[in-house]
Amino acid sequence: MKSVASCIVTACLAFALHAHAEDPPAGDKAPSAALHALFDSEWERGLVESPENASYNGDPRFNDRWSDLSLAAIKRREAEDRDALAKLHALDRGALSAADQLNYDTFEWLLQKSVERQKFREYLQPVGHQGGVQTADGIAEVLPFASTKDYRDWIARLQKLPALIDQVTVLMREGIKDKNMPPRILMQRVPAQIAAQIVEDPASSPFYRPFAKFADGIPATDRAELDAQARRAIGEDVVPAFRKFAKFFDTEYLPHARDSIAAAALPDGKAYYDFLAGYYTTTDLGAAQIHEIGVKEVARIRTEMEKVKDETGFKGDLPEFFTYLRSDPKFFEKTPAALLQRYRALAKRIDPELVKVFHTIPRLPYGVRAIPDNIAPDTTTAYYQGGATDGSRPGYYYVNLYKPEVRPTWEMMPLSLHEAVPGHHFQFARGLELPGAPDFRRTAYFVAYGEGWGLYAEQLGFDMGLYDDPYDHFGQLTYEMWRAVRLVVDTGMHSMGWSRDKAIAYFKENAAKTDQDIVNEVDRYIGTPGQALAYKIGQLKISELRARATRELGAKFDLRAFNDAVLETGSVPLAALERHIDAWIASQKRDRH
């Protein structure tokens, strides 16, 4: 999944579903009205100031423009965030209903973190090996392209791309001055990504893709003109801008990239990594504590791996079994088309089993798509892209078909459970269906909650009877190990002096993932410090809450009701989720006596 998160909030999570007695008198609507007016104005500000975010949310009003990344605009947005927090604090939280207290606390947490991180000047690193202006064409994946105006908006965006690239260049030059630079080992991947945008024939540009096949509703009289305008914009605006950017990147920026991989090497780097660890896990756990949790989980999962290896009848040791799983041709499809077909068939196998573990199935559908070719070599095995907030676009599970010979079939079941259903698609789709929630709550993404749910969803495959093949079961353990290893190597590299080679070796020693995936994963942890910590920490908390509910409710425990209860909060910090589940357990006890 692509996204962000938070730390512990003081949310009063009796939550609206279990706390109607705390609602204010019917006539006292002023505090709630003021709060929701603030939510609405801040939501609109976010859409105006980030047209890309508006596009991803299915709002087409700003599809003809990019964000203003000038230093002046960034400073203005930072001031507006501080002002929004002050406006929130001017409201009387105690006069709100329980539901609005949760909304208040969640919004406050997000704004506080936004303000707190301003001092780290993250905007000085606007380009990474997994994305940046050099992959801006990817937003076309979520645009409608159903009308002539949709195509004209895209052409307008193409014409404005040089200005965006110039703004990005200014930020990068400022990063050089500030010594706020990304690691060279990652930046060495970027020149090839920029080069992919420098084409002789505009029709071979990734930005031209929408014009390769017009939507049926586009009048024939418009098509030739749109095609000509697109070719002209790519040839006269896009390609020259990227050619200029390539020269800057190769001769001016890349030579200044830092040799260190650790976040601690950045200005105020130790404080920055501590902030990121808390932000992504939504806890106050320190790096040393997280590292130790990871070491213990790695040891536990290795024991389980040994048991499943023996079930397969394999006679060698665990490292030999890893090699076997990484290399035997029977575990790999031969072509991208065959791999995509297998993913789609697997999704259809999962769908009917969902009623075993949920009472509530979200209304929004999802599809399975290939990750675009131009980013596939440098990106993860799969990811999920949420649907439009108005339901006009489904969710999509994107799968990596690059080099099918390194994409083992035994990993497909846990991967699909995580990224599609009942993982991220259920989480995002249920969030969009939250009754009466403000837009920021419907679309919120706290990484520990979201990715913790995704990893927990992989384990729901056992409850759905989907791990009847021991190799698929080993795939689930491999994916769980993958997330445990993350705790060790992320903290190791960013706070304990581990080298990239040491991280790769540790990963390879403990997980059967292929070399291609391992290198890409380690580089991802280098590029986004702390984000990878959220998965296992979130899953451990959800599993802990399930065990608590099972213990306290005994024979009355309903797994489907528990899973629904986890999702009915929407995305929240882990402390808020825990309060909600404790209230849910109490309500279940009351209802069943």
Side-chain angles (χ1 to χ4, degrees):
M1 174 55 233
K2 304 169 166 181
S3 265
V4 288
S6 2
C7 200
I8 295 178
V9 292
T10 55
C12 167
L13 246 175
F15 197 61
L17 294 171
H18 306 295
H20 298 300
E22 298 181 28
D23 288 354
D28 188 9
K29 298 295 184 184
S32 177
L35 180 68
H36 282 266
L38 179 61
F39 291 158
D40 290 344
S41 66
E42 285 301 295
W43 177 259
E44 179 66 13
R45 175 169 76 93
L47 298 177
V48 171
E49 295 186 345
S50 177
E52 298 89 348
N53 187 44
S55 294
Y56 277 107
N57 280 296
D59 185 332
R61 290 177 294 161
F62 316 112
N63 282 352
D64 61 343
R65 67 195 77 169
W66 306 98
S67 294
D68 184 348
L69 296 185
S70 66
L71 282 166
I74 291 169
K75 292 301 180 186
R76 184 184 69 248
R77 288 194 288 270
E78 289 182 340
E80 288 169 343
D81 283 350
R82 296 191 296 270
D83 184 57
L85 184 59
K87 288 178 180 176
L88 182 70
H89 285 162
L91 300 176
D92 182 2
R93 181 186 178 281
L96 300 170
S97 69
D100 271 342
Q101 285 180 354
L102 173 62
N103 291 332
Y104 179 107
D105 291 341
T106 306
F107 197 61
E108 179 187 46
W109 194 96
L110 291 167
L111 280 173
Q112 284 176 333
K113 291 302 173 185
S114 180
V115 170
E116 185 180 343
R117 73 191 313 159
Q118 289 177 5
K119 63 186 175 184
F120 300 118
R121 303 185 79 194
E122 293 165 304
Y123 55 81
L124 296 185
Q125 293 189 39
V127 167
H129 77 291
Q130 287 192 300
V133 70
Q134 77 279 13
T135 59
D137 59 279
I139 198 172
E141 290 281 315
V142 302
L143 299 177
F145 293 110
S147 69
T148 296
K149 183 180 185 304
D150 293 333
Y151 286 89
R152 293 198 191 285
D153 284 346
W154 184 239
I155 291 167
R157 259 184 170 153
L158 299 186
Q159 292 167 337
K160 293 168 184 171
L161 194 64
L164 177 67
I165 293 175
D166 284 344
Q167 289 179 337
V168 167
T169 302
V170 169
L171 295 178
M172 294 167 78
R173 285 199 169 110
E174 187 72 13
I176 294 173
K177 292 179 190 173
D178 198 52
K179 293 185 169 49
N180 194 331
M181 296 293 290
R184 180 176 290 105
I185 191 69
L186 303 185
M187 292 300 97
Q188 289 170 347
R189 293 184 178 218
V190 175
Q193 298 171 359
I194 300 173
Q197 302 289 3
I198 302 172
V199 297
E200 294 300 323
D201 178 8
S204 62
S205 167
F207 287 94
Y208 181 80
R209 240 181 244 124
F211 302 91
K213 187 178 186 304
F214 282 97
D216 292 341
I218 307 303
T221 52
D222 291 344
R223 296 186 183 194
E225 180 190 358
L226 292 171
D227 184 85
Q229 290 177 348
R231 289 173 183 267
R232 187 160 54 250
I234 292 168
E236 297 179 5
D237 297 312
V238 174
V239 172
F242 275 115
R243 190 172 284 118
K244 176 183 172 185
F245 187 60
K247 183 179 179 182
F248 158 75
F249 192 92
D250 294 344
T251 63
E252 190 174 338
Y253 193 73
L254 188 56
H256 287 94
R258 59 186 163 93
D259 294 325
S260 170
I261 60 170
L266 292 167
D268 203 13
K270 184 183 183 303
Y272 181 47
Y273 187 67
D274 289 343
F275 167 81
L276 291 175
Y279 175 76
Y280 284 120
T281 67
T282 70
T283 73
D284 56 2
L285 292 170
Q289 293 171 288
I290 294 171
H291 190 87
E292 185 57 31
I293 291 170
V295 169
K296 290 179 179 177
E297 279 293 282
V298 166
R300 179 188 65 79
I301 298 166
R302 277 189 77 96
T303 300
E304 294 299 312
M305 284 180 158
E306 291 282 2
K307 294 176 184 176
V308 178
K309 171 183 72 73
D310 292 343
E311 285 179 28
T312 69
F314 188 83
K315 301 304 180 186
D317 61 17
L318 201 56
E320 290 171 330
F321 191 54
F322 288 168
T323 301
Y324 167 62
L325 292 174
R326 292 181 185 123
S327 58
D328 193 294
K330 76 178 181 183
F331 296 122
F332 301 89
E333 293 289 351
K334 290 183 172 56
T335 67
L339 187 58
L340 181 60
Q341 183 179 14
R342 186 156 180 161
Y343 270 116
R344 286 175 169 162
L346 189 63
K348 294 303 180 188
R349 182 186 169 199
I350 295 170
D351 286 346
E353 308 303 326
L354 294 167
V355 293
K356 294 179 179 177
V357 290
F358 295 93
H359 290 297
T360 305
I361 305 295
R363 297 186 298 272
L364 190 73
Y366 76 100
V368 184
R369 282 181 169 178
I371 291 174
D373 293 342
N374 62 313
I375 63 171
D378 298 312
T379 198
T380 53
T381 312
Y383 58 78
Y384 174 79
Q385 178 63 60
T389 53
D390 63 358
S392 61
R393 185 187 70 245
Y396 281 104
Y397 169 32
Y398 282 86
V399 295
N400 201 326
L401 307 181
Y402 176 71
K403 288 189 175 181
E405 67 273 15
V406 302
R407 312 281 172 197
T409 55
W410 45 259
E411 73 176 359
M412 293 170 67
M413 179 61 77
L415 180 64
S416 299
L417 292 167
H418 180 115
E419 298 293 348
V421 292
H424 289 320
H425 180 67
F426 262 46
Q427 171 217 330
F428 275 87
R430 285 288 308 276
L432 292 177
E433 296 170 11
L434 286 176
D439 285 330
F440 89 91
R441 286 287 320 286
R442 295 170 63 226
T443 59
Y445 188 72
F446 292 83
V447 182
Y449 174 95
E451 298 298 346
W453 172 261
L455 184 50
Y456 171 78
E458 295 174 25
Q459 298 171 358
L460 287 177
F462 293 108
D463 301 294
M464 291 188 278
L466 295 170
Y467 289 124
D468 50 354
D469 183 321
Y471 290 107
D472 286 344
H473 184 181
F474 200 89
Q476 177 272 322
L477 288 172
T478 296
Y479 267 51
E480 190 177 7
M481 176 66 89
W482 173 23
R483 280 42 171 263
V485 164
R486 286 175 171 178
L487 302 184
V488 180
V489 301
D490 195 287
T491 53
M493 290 189 296
H494 291 295
S495 69
M496 299 177 181
W498 280 33
S499 69
R500 177 173 179 265
D501 287 345
K502 181 175 180 178
I504 290 171
Y506 184 87
F507 203 139
K508 192 169 182 178
E509 177 187 345
N510 288 290
K513 290 193 66 73
T514 61
D515 290 353
Q516 168 101 13
D517 277 350
I518 288 172
V519 170
N520 278 349
E521 282 297 315
V522 169
D523 284 350
R524 172 187 156 196
Y525 312 152
I526 295 170
T528 54
Q531 192 269 355
L533 306 177
Y535 297 65
K536 197 72 175 106
I537 297 299
Q539 174 261 313
L540 286 171
K541 175 55 69 176
I542 295 172
S543 296
E544 173 195 326
L545 295 175
R546 173 171 165 172
R548 183 185 306 171
T550 302
R551 182 175 63 252
E552 295 193 19
L553 296 176
K556 297 179 179 179
F557 175 73
D558 180 345
L559 176 59
R560 293 183 293 176
F562 171 81
N563 291 334
D564 284 354
V566 173
L567 291 179
E568 72 190 2
T569 65
S571 192
V572 291
L574 295 181
L577 175 65
E578 184 165 11
R579 290 187 177 95
H580 171 60
I581 293 300
D582 283 343
W584 176 82
I585 292 170
S587 73
Q588 295 293 296
K589 287 180 177 178
R590 287 194 303 271
D591 292 346
R592 299 184 185 194
H593 278 309

